[in-house]
Amino acid sequence: LHIDLWEKAVVSTQSTGDKAIKKFIIRNIVEAAALRDIGDQSVYKSYILPKIYVKLHYCVSCAIHSKVVRNRSRELRRVRTPPVRHMPGRQPNQKQQANKN
């Protein structure tokens, strides 16, 4: 069994990657207020600023402390199914629609 060690985002300790809480962040390099100003001053009218892509790994205690996840009751901790993700602009799968009916 091979388990990768990850350095955490908050406390800089290493623990196993399967236990880590992962969060993928996509952000603009420039904040929204300055984005329009840069677009007005730019020579290139169709230039799109690049984005920052970061994958953060949290240990359980740091994720709860920084409110990435919430703690659950003792009965709900035993439920291992991941929560349903609602992504804007995506159509639900046919399997998900069949399970709802």
Side-chain angles (χ1 to χ4, degrees), residues 47-88:
Y47 182 70
I48 299 171
L49 287 172
K51 296 182 182 241
I52 297 172
Y53 299 91
V54 180
K55 187 169 186 181
L56 298 173
H57 297 273
Y58 293 94
C59 62
V60 175
S61 62
C62 292
I64 292 171
H65 179 72
S66 59
K67 297 182 181 175
V68 174
V69 293
R70 294 183 194 174
N71 56 352
R72 299 184 288 174
S73 66
R74 190 169 289 181
E75 294 82 23
L76 288 178
R77 280 185 219 152
R78 297 174 195 271
V79 177
R80 306 238 352 184
T81 57
V84 178
R85 293 185 181 182
H86 301 286
M87 295 187 182

Side-chain angles (χ1 to χ4, degrees), residues 2-8 13-23 55-60:
H2 180 70
I3 299 173
D4 293 330
L5 292 176
W6 291 97
E7 189 161 330
K8 303 299 176 244
T13 60
Q14 288 187 345
S15 65
T16 57
D18 61 340
K19 198 184 290 187
I21 290 135
K22 298 154 199 79
K23 184 176 182 182
K55 187 169 186 181
L56 298 173
H57 297 273
Y58 293 94
C59 62
V60 175

